[in-house]
C-alpha cells in the first residue's frame, strides 16, 4: 500500500478497496493454494476481506489486476524501502539489529538479512 500511496494512487475514496486488494495479492503471493483443494479457504478469505473493508467481492477481484499493474508486477520489497521503517523500529525499542532479530526468534536464518541491513545503515 505504501508504494501505491507514494504514487498518489490511494485516496480516501478508494483506500478500503486498495487495502483489500493488497491483502488479497499478499495472500495469493504468500499462501500456497491448490485450486480445487483450497477453493473454500480462498472464498472464506475473500468474504472476510469484503466484510472487513466493506467492499464488494466483485470489486476486489476486478481491481486486483489494476493494482498488480500499478505495483509493476513486483511484490518483492527492496531493502532500501524497508530500511527507514526498520531503523525507526530499532530506535523506538532502543535495540540493535542483532538484538531485534534474536528477540523475534529468527537469528539462525537472519545472518544474510543482518549483513544486508548493516551494510545499508
Amino acid at each position: 500500500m505504501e508504494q501505491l500511496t507514494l504514487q498518489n494512487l490511494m485516496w480516501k475514496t478508494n483506500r478500503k478497496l486498495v487495502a483489500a486488494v493488497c491483502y488479497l495479492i499478499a495472500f495469493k503471493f504468500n499462501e500456497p493454494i491448490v485450486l480445487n483443494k483450497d477453493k473454500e479457504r480462498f472464498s472464506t478469505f475473500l468474504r472476510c476481506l469484503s466484510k472487513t473493508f466493506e467492499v464488494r467481492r466483485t470489486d476486489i477481484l476486478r481491481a486486483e489486476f489494476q493494482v498488480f499493474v500499478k505495483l509493476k508486477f513486483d511484490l518483492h520489497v527492496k531493502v532500501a524501502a524497508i530500511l527507514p521503517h526498520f531503523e525507526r523500529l530499532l530506535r523506538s525499542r532502543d535495540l540493535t539489529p542483532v538484538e531485534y532479530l534474536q528477540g523475534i526468534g529468527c537469528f539462525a536464518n537472519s545472518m544474510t538479512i543482518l549483513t544486508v541491513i548493516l551494510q545499508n545503515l
Side-chain angles (χ1 to χ4, degrees), residues 2-65:
E2 181 181 27
Q3 291 177 37
L4 298 170
T5 303
L6 292 173
Q7 294 177 43
N8 292 319
L9 299 171
M10 192 164 158
W11 316 284
K12 186 175 183 176
T13 56
N14 72 349
R15 72 186 187 282
K16 289 182 178 183
L17 176 61
V18 172
V21 172
C22 287
Y23 273 106
L24 178 64
I25 291 171
F27 176 81
K28 286 181 169 183
F29 184 73
N30 290 304
E31 295 292 324
I33 296 175
V34 179
L35 290 179
N36 293 331
K37 183 181 175 188
D38 295 323
K39 197 173 187 179
E40 183 60 35
R41 193 173 101 205
F42 176 77
S43 182
T44 301
F45 183 75
L46 192 55
R47 267 194 310 277
C48 180
L49 286 177
S50 178
K51 183 178 179 183
T52 301
F53 291 102
E54 300 171 341
V55 292
R56 295 185 326 202
R57 287 180 274 181
T58 54
D59 292 338
I60 296 170
L61 294 172
R62 210 175 288 133
E64 179 186 8
F65 188 72

Side-chain angles (χ1 to χ4, degrees), residues 71-89:
L71 293 172
K72 298 178 184 152
F73 300 96
D74 187 11
L75 300 181
H76 294 281
V77 180
K78 312 291 185 277
V79 173
I82 297 170
L83 279 176
H85 303 291
F86 188 65
E87 290 171 342
R88 186 181 53 220
L89 173 70

